[in-house]
Each structure stands twice: as C-alpha cells, then as structure tokens.
Amino acid sequence: MKMKYVERFGLIIILSAFVTVSTFAQSKALVNTSQSPHALLSSVNMGDVQWTNGFWADRFRVCRDSMIPNMWRIYADPKMGHAVQNFEIAAGLDTGSHVGPPFQDGDFYKLFEAAASVYAITKDKKLDELMDKTIAIIGKAQRADGYIHTPAEIEERNHPGVKAAFQDRLNFETYNLGHLMTAACVHYRATGKTTFLNIAIKATDYLYRFYKTASPELARNAICPSHYMGVVEMYRTTRDPKYLELAKNLIDIRGLMKEGTDDNQDRIPFREQTKALGHAVRANYLYAGAADVYAETGDTTLLHTLNLVWNDVVNHKMYVTGGCGALYDGASPDGTSYLLKDVQEVHQAYGRDYQLPNYTAHNETCASVGNVLWNWRMLQLTGKAKYADVMELTLYNGLLSGISLNGTKFLYTNPLAVSDDLPFAQRWSKDRVGYIGYSNCCPPNVIRTISEVSNYAYNVSDKGLWFNLYGSSNLSTTLKDGSPVKLTQQTNYPWNGAISITLQQVPANAFSLFIRIPGWSKNARLTVNGKPAKAILKPGTYAELNGKWHSGDKIELQLPMPVTMVEANPLVEETRNQIAVKRGPVVYCVESAGVPKGKKVLNLSLSAKANLHAQNITIDNAHLIGLSGKATVIDNNKWKNQLYREVNSKSLGMVAVQLIPYFAWGNRGHVEMETWIPFSR
Ligand SMILES: [Zn+2]
C-alpha cells in the first residue's frame, strides 16, 4: 500500500491510501518547465514581475480595470453570454437550457484564467472571492465521475435517458476540459488554493479513463486541442505520471483513422506532417501542445515535425503582423487529388505558401494567441531568440489588434486592409464589436494573454537570467539554484529602444545575463556601468554577459528604431509593389482617420524614401507613437462595373498622412484601412 501526500503550506495532507507518492510542484510559473528535462529555460513565478509604467503597465491596467470586469459581466449576463448560468443549470442550481456555443465553458475558463493571472499580481480580495464563488458553482456542475461539459450535462438533465456526453468526436469537450486544466493550474499557482485544481484533477482522471475505453473514433476527439497543453500542465503540477502517459497517447492516436481531415490536422499522423495545415487555431494549439510533450519526453520525432512546420509558417504562411490563417474557407492544399471527391474543405485555415490576401485575411485573433503560446514553448525548449522574435511580433501586432484600446471591443478576424468598396459582405464585422456572439472565443483569449505578458518577460536557466520582452518592470525572483535576484527595468519600449536595467540584489557567484537583441534591430549598443559590453550583439540572438555582478550595476541597451519599409517575397502576389511600414517591433497602417477628409486610404502611394516622422499621439486615452509624413494621392476612383482600364497616371498631389500602429486601427469609428501601401522606389 502506498500513500499520496500533498505538501502545501507546510501541511501534509493524506489524500488517498491507494496511489503513488507524489507532491504538487512548488513552482508558481505560468507555464512550469522548471522540472521539464528537455526545456532549457523555465519561467519565474507568477507575481515575480510587476509592470511599473509604460506600454505593458498600461495594457495590464486596462485589462484589470476594463477588459476582465466587462467580459465577466457579459458572461454572467443571462441575456448575453449565459456562461455562468450554464454552469448553474448543469449544477441543478437553476433550470433552463444551455445557451451559447458548445465551447462556451472553455471560453469562460479562459476569462477565469485571466482573473487568476491578474490576482497573482494584485492580490485583489474581491477577485479572490469572485473566483471562490465561481469555483463552487463549477464544482457542483461536475459529475461524480469527473466529466464536465455543460451542453451535454444540461441535455441529459432535461431529457433523462438521453446520452449526450462524448457522442461526437467533433464536439468541444476536450477543448473545454483543456482550458479548465490550464485555468486550474494558473489559479493554484496564483492563490495556493487547491479548490479548482481538485476539479481539474477529477476531470483529467476522467479523460485518462475515457481514453482507455473509448472507441478509436471518439478517442480522437480533439477540436482546438487546448487539452494537450492542459494535460501536460496538470502533469507538471501534480507529477502524476498517468497524465504524461495521456498526453503522449493524445499525440500518438492522431491521424490513425480514415476520416481524418487536414482542417483538423489528423488526415495523416502528426509525425509525418511537414507543413502547417488546416484551421490555424487548431494547428497552433496542436503545435504548442506537442512542444509541451517534447519538453517532458524528449521525443525528437515531435521536435522534428515542429521544426519543419515552424519553418513553413514563418517562411511561407505568416502575415507581417504575426497573424496566422489566411483563408476564410478553402480547399486543403495537400489533402486533395484529381478525384474531386477527395477534395477537402478547410476553414479559418492556413492556405498555400505565399497565399496571404489582405482584404479577405481571416487571421483569427485566437490563432495569434496560439502563435504566441507555440513560440513561447519553442523558446523554452531551445533558448533561441528567433522564437521570441515571432512571439513579440505577434503580441504587438496581430494579437493586440484583436481588442480595442479601451478593452471592450473586439475583432474576430484581423484583415490587413478594409475597403467599403468591396462588393460583398464578409462574415464577421470589420468594425470592433462588444460581443462576438457565437464566436466569442477570441475576446477571453486575448484578455488572458494580456494579463499574462509579464510572465513572458524573463526566464531563468542553469546559467542565469534571460531578458525576452522589454518593458518597465520590477523583477524579484530566484535563479535556478535558489539565490534571490532583484532588479528594475526602465524603458519606453516599444516606442523607444533605450532600455536601462539596474541590479538591486544579486548572488555572489558569477552568472550570466542573456539580453535579447531583436531580429529587427540594427546597430544595437550594450553597456555595463557605462562601458561597452564584451558581448556579441547579433540581431536575433541573446547577448550573454557573464560575470560577478553587484547591487547597483547598470546594464543599458540601445536599440535604434528608425522607420523601416518592408517588402514581401514577390510570390506573395497580393503585396507586389507595396510596402509595409515598421518601427521597432510595431507594424503600422493607415486608416481613414489619418488622411485628409475626402481622400481615400486606398488611393495613397508612398515613396520608399518618404520621410516619416515619429510623433506622440493619443487614441482613446492610449499613448502611442504615430508616423506622420506625405503620400501621393492617385486618382483611382470611379471603378464601378469596370475590371480593367487604361492606366490613369494623374496624380492629385501630395497630402499629409498619419500612420498608426496596426494594433490600434479601428478605434476611431468605422474606417477603411491599409497595411500594405503601393510604393515607388
Ligand atoms: Zn477565436
């Protein structure tokens, strides 16, 4: 007979007399790779980083004060989200029907995760009470066997005898369970309480048993597989080996059936895939989950696929904003043959290489979240800055564009251009909306990511401390050997590339500081106490500063941020002879509010030598850097019912234009917008 002990706050609680000895992990990291044998980096604890001022402090404040309270109100409103009511009805605390999409539980768990992440920093008692109250309802909604998915439970409650649980492999049970697991791990790490974690343990145990006995068809239930990440994180929290067994099994059983699709990335086994395919949210969640499994197992066949697919995404399929998933709908590039019956539909999906349309870009906000989750995990595995580059690009552009500056309006899709002249309506609004309705998956996803960015700023490894994302912050953490480190970082990044780090508490032993030199940067300068650092400052790498450090030591990084014109590979036909404008990691666009009245955004043309000046601007109380300059206006109107005509070279002269960060577009009412702008060399 073996005993299971859980050590918490110095107490040893005997949980069960018949399971293996185990203790919950002590690390309070958002993603806990501290014991992952195949991850080079691990995270600091939640709450170790406090934004102090500047960009992320501002976004965090809006998240705490506006994004979370607003979205929680929506999910608790029986006439809108109905998410809390679904749990109450499933729990028998209320009566009625399930309202909302089948993935509503999972989306609510994402919002819950955001609240727990904010609590880790603010220790706000009201938030704690709200979470406790909600956990009690969720706990009551959980079946005795651990199953929890309110659409099926309510169906079974309202129609005794009907079996609704796990009847359809294309349902969202595992998506919901995955987000439950992640939110519960985050809640445990943020609060030290095991209330939500115990619900997740019951749910993960249920899933483990389900996969042991389910039909092969049902066992491949994996729509938007958040549960790969969730199950691994449960393993990291509990160290229960059966969760790792489950995670490995989840990857192994993919693609072992005849009915698999490229849309769901299960037409062929994961290890045989070489390209990014299908629904981009599902894909990026799968890749992130596979990276988690690799971190624990070291299975190089998984890493091999991840490397091939990552190269495919970054070299052929990712937007300049970090957005993923070009197609609203389409046919799978690879799952097709000349026999039309084999042509597979895809939706919200990666397209072919270089297929990156602007007006009709799907670019779901959730796919950007998935891109961040995936690249974060690749960074943890390898310590390679190229993953931090993609993560940063996506955060500042294709992800933040999904939420308004005031935190209450959202985009489901993130087009790179909007024209009122396009003579067809696209599904999903190109104006920001308060509630996306059936497809409200993105708002809580972007909110939880913003609440958690501080957890991505720093890492630790056996050799020292890593600086991934820059932002004014206080860090108080411990190195891998347990020695405490405290420092402050002061910067106005991403608007200014001057970063100043002051060490406040350091161990006596020598250790390294790994300073990220972004891939976009040129001529970076790094000094230690005013003297040039002896380090290689290669863009797209970490500069290692090794030595004995002292309290008061000052490390200063200068990243020049000139305005840069970017062109795309000419095989991207939608952007031929156009440029995108970048400054630092931020991609710019021009919208109607930035051109003189009566002039159309889509008639502008920019010289590659255009002198664009950075200027402070404020949109909806957010302080940003805009770019002002002059653009040529071409007479390009009156196209109605014409497809072709002789070139009209008449220029209407130069006008003043203001470019704004792409993520800030659409915050000044309805606008037309363009990211790729025609240019002359
Ligand atoms: Zn979404």
Side-chain angles (χ1 to χ4, degrees):
M1 184 192 296
K2 289 181 180 173
M3 310 279 267
K4 180 174 180 180
Y5 295 98
V6 173
E7 199 174 308
R8 187 163 76 90
F9 307 129
L11 292 172
I12 293 179
I13 305 160
I14 298 173
L15 271 188
S16 157
F18 298 99
V19 282
T20 329
V21 173
S22 133
T23 54
F24 285 173
Q26 295 300 300
S27 166
K28 296 184 175 66
L30 175 71
V31 176
N32 175 16
T33 54
S34 61
Q35 290 178 273
S36 306
H38 304 280
L40 184 77
L41 306 183
S42 56
S43 297
V44 301
N45 284 340
M46 299 187 79
D48 282 3
V49 183
Q50 301 263 347
W51 298 124
T52 49
N53 55 60
F55 188 89
W56 288 115
D58 189 41
R59 288 301 92 202
F60 183 83
R61 180 182 54 74
V62 175
C63 182
R64 181 195 63 200
D65 297 344
S66 166
M67 296 177 194
I68 293 175
N70 170 66
M71 191 49 58
W72 200 290
R73 261 193 307 275
I74 288 172
Y75 275 140
D77 182 345
K79 292 198 176 77
M80 287 186 81
H82 202 273
V84 176
Q85 287 74 20
N86 288 339
F87 285 107
E88 287 172 341
I89 296 166
L93 300 169
D94 200 350
T95 55
S97 302
H98 181 271
V99 176
F103 42 85
Q104 190 89 323
D105 294 358
D107 293 340
F108 181 72
Y109 296 139
K110 291 178 203 163
L111 181 64
F112 188 104
E113 181 189 330
S117 298
V118 165
Y119 176 80
I121 290 167
T122 63
K123 303 293 178 194
D124 177 351
K125 276 192 181 145
K126 281 191 177 159
L127 210 48
D128 195 28
E129 284 164 16
L130 179 64
M131 291 192 292
D132 284 347
K133 206 174 104 193
T134 310
I135 291 165
I137 298 167
I138 295 171
K140 282 205 181 91
Q142 185 171 37
R143 269 185 357 201
D145 64 358
Y147 179 85
I148 177 163
H149 175 68
T150 63
E153 289 181 85
I154 293 172
E155 180 70 11
E156 291 179 357
R157 188 176 273 279
N158 290 347
H159 302 96
V162 168
K163 271 197 149 204
F166 270 116
Q167 295 301 300
D168 176 5
R169 85 170 186 92
L170 297 180
N171 207 334
F172 283 83
E173 269 123 333
T174 50
Y175 169 88
N176 289 342
L177 291 172
H179 281 297
L180 166 68
M181 294 168 200
T182 302
C185 288
V186 170
H187 177 259
Y188 166 66
R189 289 163 190 170
T191 64
K193 296 179 186 178
T194 54
T195 44
F196 203 17
L197 185 63
N198 287 335
I199 293 171
I201 287 172
K202 274 172 73 180
T204 318
D205 287 348
Y206 173 87
L207 204 60
Y208 176 80
R209 292 191 306 273
F210 171 78
Y211 274 87
K212 286 272 180 204
T213 57
S215 70
E217 171 68 12
L218 276 180
R220 288 171 198 124
N221 174 310
I223 301 290
C224 283
S226 65
H227 58 305
Y228 297 8
M229 288 177 272
V231 169
V232 174
E233 217 53 47
M234 287 297 292
Y235 168 69
R236 289 167 176 163
T237 305
T238 64
R239 308 305 297 176
D240 187 333
K242 72 177 188 286
Y243 296 164
L244 184 57
E245 179 196 331
L246 171 60
K248 285 192 283 190
N249 188 31
L250 288 168
I251 299 283
D252 292 343
I253 60 174
R254 292 186 70 89
L256 297 180
M257 61 186 156
K258 285 179 188 153
E259 300 80 14
T261 63
D262 281 341
D263 207 25
N264 212 33
Q265 296 87 31
D266 56 8
R267 180 177 60 84
I268 49 177
F270 178 76
R271 290 175 178 83
E272 291 172 24
Q273 294 179 24
T274 59
K275 312 279 282 179
L277 286 173
H279 195 289
V281 183
R282 299 178 193 186
N284 289 355
Y285 272 37
L286 164 63
Y287 308 146
D292 272 338
V293 175
Y294 172 79
E296 303 307 324
T297 63
D299 178 348
T300 52
T301 61
L302 297 178
L303 189 61
H304 178 69
T305 295
L306 288 170
N307 286 335
L308 290 174
V309 174
W310 189 87
N311 285 330
D312 181 48
V313 170
V314 170
N315 295 330
H316 308 132
K317 295 190 167 86
M318 190 174 74
Y319 280 89
V320 70
T321 55
C324 297
L327 305 181
Y328 270 64
D329 307 282
S332 169
D334 298 292
T336 56
S337 74
Y338 291 103
L339 298 171
L340 278 178
K341 68 180 175 60
D342 292 336
V343 172
Q344 290 198 346
E345 285 177 11
V346 293
H347 76 304
Q348 310 180 344
Y350 284 109
R352 282 194 178 278
D353 293 358
Y354 306 114
Q355 188 179 16
L356 295 166
N358 296 315
Y359 295 122
T360 61
H362 182 77
N363 268 349
E364 184 175 335
T365 304
C366 281
S368 287
V369 173
N371 206 22
V372 168
L373 295 172
W374 177 24
N375 278 280
W376 171 249
R377 283 158 176 76
M378 298 301 282
L379 175 64
Q380 302 309 288
L381 300 181
T382 62
K384 286 187 180 165
K386 64 180 181 178
Y387 301 116
D389 279 343
V390 176
M391 195 174 96
E392 180 183 71
L393 176 80
T394 311
L395 272 174
Y396 280 117
N397 302 290
L399 183 140
L400 270 186
S401 57
I403 187 164
S404 66
L405 294 169
N406 69 9
T408 62
K409 291 191 170 171
F410 305 93
L411 288 170
Y412 184 66
T413 68
N414 293 275
L416 275 80
V418 174
S419 167
D420 290 338
D421 297 338
L422 206 63
F424 55 86
Q426 291 175 275
R427 259 169 284 153
W428 296 293
S429 172
K430 302 302 163 224
D431 293 325
R432 297 174 180 278
V433 295
Y435 182 54
I436 302 177
Y438 195 83
S439 296
N440 204 57
C441 48
C442 301
N445 221 2
V446 73
I447 291 171
R448 72 169 172 142
T449 309
I450 292 169
S451 76
E452 289 165 351
V453 176
S454 61
N455 297 281
Y456 298 140
Y458 301 90
N459 268 132
V460 291
S461 73
D462 291 338
K463 293 175 84 176
L465 182 64
W466 297 62
F467 295 74
N468 305 317
L469 297 177
Y470 297 113
S472 287
S473 51
N474 291 331
L475 170 69
S476 175
T477 192
T478 52
L479 296 179
K480 285 282 249 189
D481 64 5
S483 46
V485 170
K486 279 189 190 175
L487 59 83
T488 61
Q489 181 183 151
Q490 187 59 39
T491 178
N492 196 23
Y493 198 89
W495 310 127
N496 185 303
I499 297 138
S500 177
I501 297 154
T502 307
L503 303 181
Q504 293 176 317
Q505 184 180 355
V506 285
N509 298 338
F511 68 99
S512 292
L513 302 176
F514 293 88
I515 311 289
R516 178 173 155 253
I517 311 297
W520 54 260
S521 68
K522 279 185 200 153
N523 306 317
R525 293 192 304 280
L526 186 63
T527 61
V528 177
N529 296 327
K531 293 184 188 140
K534 293 184 187 112
I536 301 162
L537 307 183
K538 190 178 165 203
T541 67
Y542 285 86
E544 181 178 359
L545 300 174
N546 181 267
K548 288 196 173 189
W549 300 97
H550 304 93
S551 169
D553 281 349
K554 202 169 215 182
I555 296 97
E556 287 173 295
L557 177 64
Q558 289 281 347
L559 300 169
M561 284 188 177
V563 176
T564 313
M565 309 281 190
V566 177
E567 64 180 340
N569 186 312
L571 291 171
V572 182
E573 57 186 294
E574 292 88 346
T575 57
R576 289 203 65 165
N577 301 318
Q578 295 160 64
I579 46 165
V581 179
K582 280 185 81 180
R583 185 173 178 274
V586 178
V587 176
Y588 281 77
C589 69
V590 59
E591 63 175 14
S592 307
V595 298
K597 226 179 165 116
K599 303 293 181 209
K600 275 181 88 71
V601 162
L602 308 174
N603 291 351
L604 298 179
S605 166
L606 209 54
S607 163
K609 298 181 189 73
N611 206 359
L612 296 172
H613 297 283
Q615 62 172 176
N616 290 307
I617 58 169
T618 302
I619 301 178
D620 213 359
N621 297 319
H623 302 295
L624 317 166
I625 293 282
L627 303 174
S628 64
K630 297 225 153 155
T632 307
V633 185
I634 45 173
D635 186 4
N636 200 25
N637 294 320
K638 297 176 190 146
W639 272 100
K640 198 165 184 195
N641 292 328
Q642 274 196 101
L643 189 54
Y644 308 104
R645 73 182 182 198
E646 195 175 326
V647 169
N648 177 357
S649 55
K650 188 179 160 199
S651 165
L652 299 179
M654 305 282 281
V655 292
V657 293
Q658 178 199 58
L659 279 72
I660 60 167
Y662 169 78
F663 73 78
W665 85 271
N667 281 278
R668 296 181 286 187
H670 173 75
V671 288
E672 294 187 307
M673 181 273 288
E674 194 164 61
T675 310
W676 288 97
I677 304 169
F679 86 113
S680 55
R681 287 182 195 269

